[in-house]
Amino acid sequence: MNVLTDNFAAFRDGFIKTVELTAFSSLLALVLGILIAAFRVSPVPALRVFGVLWVTLLRNTPLVLLFLVVTLGLPALGLKGWDSFWLAVMALGCYTSAFICEAVRSGINTVPVGQAEAARSIGLTFSQTLAQIVLPQAARTAIPPVGSLIIALTKNSAIASGFDVMELGALQKQLNADAGYNILVVFLWIAVCYLIITLTLSGLFRLLENRLAVAR
């Protein structure tokens, strides 16, 4: 217990940084995921091709490699001055967006085609049909897998500790080097912190799923 009490400030700061990293990365992933899903079902061929390339490339790229591309590749291209936290948000958000795109697209595919045809028959554009008719219904199906992906993103955020982001994953190196605590005890408390975050997210998505459920 003294590992936690003696280093409460460090655990608190790491916990907050992990929550912030998860929140901003999730927001980016959701925005990009929904946008790319719209591209994938778009009537414009160029947008569909872009969506396929985005998903194929990111789903088949290791996350660590994407971190390296963002943290080392962008400065090499002259895009310097980015904080390591925001680079981690970019890497996590873009990576997860490819998976969220497929979850949203699967939800879109569950909506009967006749509803989109009816919307077009009354003069709605593609974007209006998608935003007002299709996506609200697709959300009911997409929420459970999206929730699982956000929880996976939370755990993937530990990779950011290797790229100068002082979140929970970086605590074990700091405490082991500075104080020489038992590494198993440090890992136990870090796991408890991650468990609190993931259980909270699971509860939130379960509540959202129940709110949007269709009565049968």
Side-chain angles (χ1 to χ4, degrees):
M1 193 69 184
N2 64 313
V3 173
L4 178 64
T5 55
D6 293 347
N7 302 279
F8 182 78
F11 275 96
R12 180 199 61 206
D13 293 343
F15 183 88
I16 293 173
K17 185 64 70 174
T18 298
V19 170
E20 291 176 345
L21 183 58
T22 299
F24 286 112
S25 300
S26 298
L27 180 61
L28 178 61
L30 287 169
V31 171
L32 287 177
I34 294 172
L35 181 62
I36 299 301
F39 284 0
R40 294 211 61 183
V41 297
S42 169
V44 181
L47 293 180
R48 292 201 302 271
V49 170
F50 179 84
V52 170
L53 290 176
W54 180 277
V55 170
T56 303
L57 179 63
L58 291 177
R59 288 183 71 186
N60 292 285
T61 300
L63 182 54
V64 174
L65 179 59
L66 188 58
F67 264 92
L68 289 172
V69 169
V70 169
T71 56
L72 301 179
L74 292 183
L77 294 174
L79 300 175
K80 301 179 180 179
W82 284 75
D83 183 79
S84 58
F85 175 84
W86 295 109
L87 291 174
V89 167
M90 189 183 304
L92 284 167
C94 290
Y95 178 79
T96 308
S97 71
F99 296 90
I100 288 181
C101 166
E102 291 302 278
V104 172
R105 190 169 70 93
S106 296
I108 290 173
N109 289 336
T110 64
V111 179
V113 177
Q115 300 214 18
E117 293 175 346
R120 286 195 296 270
S121 71
I122 61 174
L124 295 183
T125 64
F126 169 76
S127 58
Q128 290 173 326
T129 300
L130 193 65
Q132 299 176 28
I133 307 297
V134 177
L135 283 179
Q137 298 180 74
R140 297 189 182 104
T141 304
I143 282 176
V146 167
S148 297
L149 291 169
I150 297 302
I151 290 173
L153 182 153
T154 303
K155 293 180 284 188
N156 286 338
S157 68
I159 296 176
S161 65
F163 296 87
D164 297 327
V165 180
M166 294 305 296
E167 45 77 68
L168 283 172
L171 276 180
Q172 61 89 13
K173 292 186 292 185
Q174 176 185 334
L175 296 181
N176 193 48
D178 295 346
Y181 289 110
N182 186 322
I183 192 170
L184 293 179
V185 177
V186 174
F187 275 133
L188 174 63
W189 282 114
I190 291 175
V192 169
C193 291
Y194 275 111
L195 188 62
I196 293 172
I197 298 173
T198 55
L199 287 178
T200 301
L201 286 171
S202 179
L204 289 174
F205 275 97
R206 180 63 60 84
L207 178 63
L208 186 59
E209 183 182 353
N210 292 336
R211 288 290 299 273
L212 294 177
V214 178
R216 298 184 184 277

